[in-house]
Amino acid sequence: MSDAAQPSAAEVRAAAEAVKAALDRHLDAVERRSGEDDAAVYAAFDELAAAAEAYDELLYDTYDEVTPFEIPGSDGLPAYAGPEEPSALSVLIRRDYTVVEPQRLLSQAQRIADLDPGSATEPGAAQSPSRPGGNAAAAVVGSSVHAALGVLFGEYEPDEIASRHKEFGLEEGDSTLWVAAAEEPPEPGEWLAAPFEQADPQRVVCRFDVSSVFDEELDFVDESEEDESDEDVEDVADDEDDEDVADVEDDEDVDAEGGKGANGARRGNGNGRGGSAADPELEVMDRER
């Protein structure tokens, strides 16, 4: 920043006073709050954050110093300020891709150009002698990623590319879709020169975001749950092993007393219930011998 554009010491002092005033208003709102979701507290919080951020920037620009404040950022949209009953809307979509397999992309684009040479035709492009009805671009789509992307997105709708991105050697990145309200539809061709310049976050009715960040958070939660499940399984297995050992020890004790055997069946001694009764004739023969 040039010396002429630097804020004055008076501006920095005024920003500091604004922070003090915002602190007082925030404390007053907190002391008078009517519940956890008090609108006045939220408004005072936002005002304090804005005042602190302005002071921090002026302090740095003027004195090359910073504050110990950590100004919270907002990942969401600002409060809706569009029409209550929208009569028109705009759908703003952004999808990011990485070209991870260029050769696959080039092959797919060349296949499209071979089947339909006109798909690689550009207004004013020179005709290719080897491809009648096509142009010079059709001959190079198999070697130029720039040309291949033009052919691919000219042939398929964006939604189809999103669903088949792996076939084209692409890897999905973050994506977002905003539905913005409008008072009335724009005139035809009005915004085509700068289609994204007038995107107003305060007119967004709803938005849908897709990011690998969310998947990583879910994976972290799943891994934690899996670890807990593994511990539970190990605990159950240990408990079952302990019970089996206890059962074997009990069986051995009972066997020594002529009770239950290792297989759980009660063994008889010839006279007890549960065993087969001894044959009296055999007992007599044994005594005679």
Side-chain angles (χ1 to χ4, degrees):
M1 182 179 289
S2 65
D3 294 337
Q6 282 187 341
S8 65
E11 290 177 310
V12 179
R13 175 63 62 180
E17 294 299 327
V19 173
K20 297 175 185 178
L23 275 170
D24 289 336
R25 288 193 297 271
H26 181 260
L27 180 57
D28 288 341
V30 170
E31 291 175 338
R32 299 176 182 178
R33 67 182 179 184
S34 57
E36 293 184 359
D37 297 326
D38 193 306
V41 174
Y42 283 114
F45 176 90
D46 291 337
E47 290 176 7
L48 177 57
E53 184 174 10
Y55 171 65
D56 188 87
E57 291 179 356
L58 290 173
L59 187 70
Y60 182 79
D61 292 341
T62 306
Y63 300 109
D64 198 24
E65 291 289 342
V66 295
T67 67
F69 308 143
E70 183 177 352
I71 310 301
S74 176
D75 295 332
L77 292 169
Y80 178 72
E84 291 298 327
E85 305 257 346
S87 57
L89 58 89
S90 296
V91 179
L92 310 175
I93 302 175
R94 172 174 173 170
R95 294 188 178 113
D96 286 355
Y97 296 95
T98 303
V99 181
V100 292
E101 295 184 76
Q103 194 55 50
R104 180 182 289 271
L105 171 64
L106 296 172
S107 298
Q108 291 280 16
Q110 188 64 65
R111 180 182 60 82
I112 296 170
D114 289 341
L115 294 174
D116 181 14
S119 63
T121 302
E122 298 175 357
Q127 294 292 316
S128 171
S130 62
R131 297 175 185 273
N135 65 351
V140 298
V141 293
S143 59
S144 167
V145 171
H146 179 273
L149 288 172
V151 170
L152 180 67
F153 281 87
E155 179 71 14
Y156 298 107
E157 293 289 336
D159 288 343
E160 185 170 1
I161 293 176
S163 64
R164 300 173 55 187
H165 61 277
K166 292 183 179 179
E167 296 180 31
F168 306 125
L170 304 176
E171 182 177 290
E172 284 184 315
D174 291 352
S175 66
T176 187
L177 183 151
W178 292 14
V179 180
E183 298 284 357
E184 56 185 21
E187 294 294 328
E190 179 181 344
W191 50 259
L192 291 178
F196 307 110
E197 201 171 59
Q198 299 178 352
D200 185 356
Q202 289 188 310
R203 287 181 171 264
V204 174
V205 178
C206 57
R207 63 180 288 180
F208 304 92
D209 298 329
V210 177
S211 175
S212 59
V213 173
F214 307 141
D215 297 335
E216 290 171 2
E217 292 174 354
L218 291 175
D219 290 342
F220 176 76
V221 173
D222 292 341
E223 288 175 1
S224 300
E225 292 177 352
E226 288 178 0
D227 292 341
E228 293 176 359
S229 299
D230 291 341
E231 291 176 359
D232 294 340
V233 171
E234 290 176 359
D235 292 341
V236 171
D238 292 341
D239 293 341
E240 291 178 350
D241 291 341
D242 294 341
E243 291 176 359
D244 292 341
V245 171
D247 289 342
V248 171
E249 291 176 351
D250 292 341
D251 292 343
E252 291 175 351
D253 294 340
V254 174
D255 284 344
E257 299 174 359
K260 283 187 178 179
N263 60 1
R266 184 174 297 276
R267 294 178 180 176
N269 56 9
N271 296 322
R273 298 178 179 177
S276 58
D279 191 338
E281 295 182 358
L282 293 177
E283 289 183 358
V284 172
M285 292 174 61
D286 287 338
R287 283 196 294 269
E288 291 177 351
R289 291 178 183 174

